[in-house]
Amino acid sequence: MFQLSKTAMLRLLSLATLTAIVVGMVAWPRQSSAAARSPSEVPDTYPPYLAEYYPQTGHSAVNSFELFWRNTPNALFVLGYPISRPFIEESFTNPGEYYRVQYFERAILEEHPQNYGTPYYILGRLLGTQLAKGRENEPPFQPVPDTRDGTWDSVTRHTLRNSPAPFRNFWLNNGGLAVFGRPISEQFQEVNQADGRTYWVQYFERQRMEWHPDEPDPRYRILLGLLGNEYRDANHRNNPAFTPAPRDDARSLPRPFIYGYNAHLYQDREPWQDRKRVLQLVKNSGFGWVRQQVRWMDLHDRSGAIYWEELDDIVRDANEMGVKLFISVVAAPGWATDNGRNGLPNRANIDQFAYFMGEMAKRYRGRVGAYQIWNEQNLAVENGGRVASAALYMDVLVAGARAIKANDPYAIVVSGPPAATETNNPNIAISDLAFFRQMFADPRFRQVVDAIGVHAGGTSNPPDSMWPDRPGPGPNFVTSREFYFRRVEDYRALALQFGLGDRQMWITEFGWATRNNTPGYEFGNQISFEQQAEWIVRAFQIGRREYAPWMGAMFLWNLNFAVPWAQREGNPLHEQASFGILNGDWSPRPAYLALQRMPKD
């Protein structure tokens, strides 16, 4: 936390005490006709879902409020720390209109859904205007003629100058219009009633600036009022939205934590499949989401025709059953790749991929909650036998994400998760950390991604273990961090390094195999059903509590893959079946029952 000199602190507190605020709503730019007329009409907040927890106040700045805070120069001084969670509040200058707001020490920010996609989605409330209410006839607040020197605001007809106080530079360097609004007075001298001294001041739509030229620290020669605190104290003493909470409390998260499964929902006409039974099992365990992989190659013909067929049924059934869908799109059609195999599309067909994703988002708008673009794209096996470059993947990701948002702005876009590996061989894999670095270094990543997709493989290691400080029991898959659930901590460190710490991560696959007959998965033979249950529950606890608020979702691999492997393929010991928490006859394993009992919030 920044430190003010004692003199500056007293003056700042004096200024805050002086201001008697009645909150107003932002008047520009907005469309009054788009305002919600009741709390229930306020639309859901748009992605991305972000969180940055501040122990100084016990609150997280979340979602686009956090993004606004992050993009505001000198935000700690200009806006202050968050002091509430978002909540719906009526406008006091336009009674009957409602907005989602989040309070900060020095400002109240509100969402304007009609401005989504513009710099004005988040705007500060007109606290300065309300502070000056009733003073319109005083000389400093009366409009002045155009000064013809570039300092005159044609809307409010006031000037913004650097003389005698350097308010113009401060305005320009600390957020400008979006943070302070337009000037509503000229500079003038006013007595601070708290200390009896006279200062140069200027009023703006959203703030009041006061010049303290004798302050030793030049950073604090212009002081702003703690207007958010003032309005909270005057009007919200019993509002639970202002109650501090620990960082792992559900109230500190940007959205409710997502508990999900990877499940197989296709082939409902087969005798072994029962899609509604799968969805009911999801609900019976207290989970709310399913991740379903969809192969682009199966739906999109070279002619341009798209055959939705059973995917329509999956979306319909999931919505009717109250289960949210997360679609992971993989496997380009052979006609869209250089070698005729089913990896990422070549650059000549990225537009075709974008078209496909846009049509999917348009068709399922409001019915599919999230989309993931590709899966383990650092592996050759996911790219037709040769590792794809991160540059190609980013082009695919950007095109797909923009097409999704153009057709369903509420859909969450999740980046593809590199598989955990230290291998660097163009015929096998690129290291997951190297691939993440290359993705994170591309400035477009932040622009198009709402959540960072990661995978967390545990092999035969318990979820709390980690190389080298706390290695697993062995005998194999021990001496590299790639073999541990906590590998996601390395991904988080990279995200922080690249300035992506406010982006939540979603674990879209994790789990532990049990006894199986698949070469390469022998580590599962050491894990009993009871251990599997214990480790899965513990992993969820770590993700939900210890990784809060930066972990937003966890999708277990898997729910029901044992059913087709046992009943269709006749191999109940295949590794995919061994990761499941249902047996091939649909009976629950201990892990399913443990997850059913596990508290969820």
Side-chain angles (χ1 to χ4, degrees), residues 219-489:
R219 294 177 298 171
Y220 308 123
R221 288 175 184 164
I222 293 177
L223 299 182
L224 304 174
L226 295 168
L227 306 189
N229 284 354
E230 283 287 311
Y231 191 76
R232 172 202 62 191
D233 293 344
N235 297 278
H236 287 293
R237 290 191 176 275
N238 298 317
N239 188 335
F242 292 87
T243 303
R247 77 172 62 240
D248 67 345
D249 191 285
R251 294 170 294 177
S252 297
L253 302 182
R255 300 282 285 176
F257 189 82
I258 291 173
Y259 296 89
Y261 295 114
N262 286 271
H264 185 87
L265 299 177
Y266 271 103
Q267 298 173 288
D268 196 40
R269 294 171 183 165
E270 298 294 327
W272 52 266
Q273 177 65 296
D274 186 342
R275 184 187 302 130
K276 291 187 177 180
R277 183 176 186 178
V278 178
L279 294 168
Q280 190 62 55
L281 284 164
V282 173
K283 294 183 65 176
N284 289 350
S285 66
F287 280 41
W289 284 69
V290 162
R291 178 177 180 254
Q292 172 65 61
Q293 194 162 93
V294 173
R295 301 196 307 177
W296 177 25
M297 60 182 284
D298 294 335
L299 280 71
H300 196 178
D301 188 83
R302 182 191 289 270
S303 69
I306 302 175
Y307 303 97
W308 302 107
E309 296 180 341
E310 194 174 6
L311 187 55
D312 279 348
D313 298 336
I314 290 171
V315 173
R316 181 203 63 221
D317 288 347
N319 277 260
E320 288 180 355
M321 297 285 289
V323 174
K324 292 185 178 294
L325 268 182
F326 175 25
I327 289 180
S328 170
V329 180
V330 298
W335 54 261
T337 67
D338 287 333
N339 61 4
R341 300 173 68 180
N342 306 114
L344 285 162
N346 56 29
R347 284 193 164 84
N349 283 290
I350 289 177
D351 286 348
Q352 288 297 315
F353 176 69
Y355 170 75
F356 173 74
M357 293 307 305
E359 290 299 298
M360 182 182 289
K362 183 191 304 181
R363 189 177 189 87
Y364 301 134
R365 180 179 177 130
R367 296 189 292 154
V368 170
Y371 295 92
Q372 186 166 51
I373 297 176
W374 237 257
N375 183 72
E376 298 187 341
Q377 61 272 13
N378 62 324
L379 301 183
V381 70
E382 296 286 348
N383 194 49
R386 188 166 180 83
V387 175
S389 69
L392 173 61
Y393 173 70
M394 282 303 303
D395 288 344
V396 173
L397 172 64
V398 170
R402 287 176 175 165
I404 291 167
K405 292 295 188 181
N407 291 281
D408 187 357
Y410 282 112
I412 303 167
V413 173
V414 185
S415 58
T421 179
E422 296 291 353
T423 301
N424 278 294
N425 183 318
N427 297 313
I428 302 174
I430 295 176
S431 158
D432 53 344
L433 298 184
F435 208 95
F436 269 118
R437 287 189 188 97
Q438 293 170 39
M439 289 196 302
F440 291 169
D442 189 323
R444 298 176 300 171
F445 188 90
R446 166 174 283 280
Q447 296 168 10
V448 302
V449 169
D450 298 322
I452 302 170
V454 300
H455 281 180
T459 59
S460 57
N461 299 304
D464 285 290
S465 60
M466 187 58 166
W467 176 262
D469 299 327
R470 193 176 179 182
N476 301 311
F477 301 99
V478 173
T479 59
S480 173
R481 297 170 74 87
E482 67 189 284
F483 301 131
Y484 292 83
F485 172 82
R486 288 176 54 198
R487 179 66 156 183
V488 296
E489 296 172 19

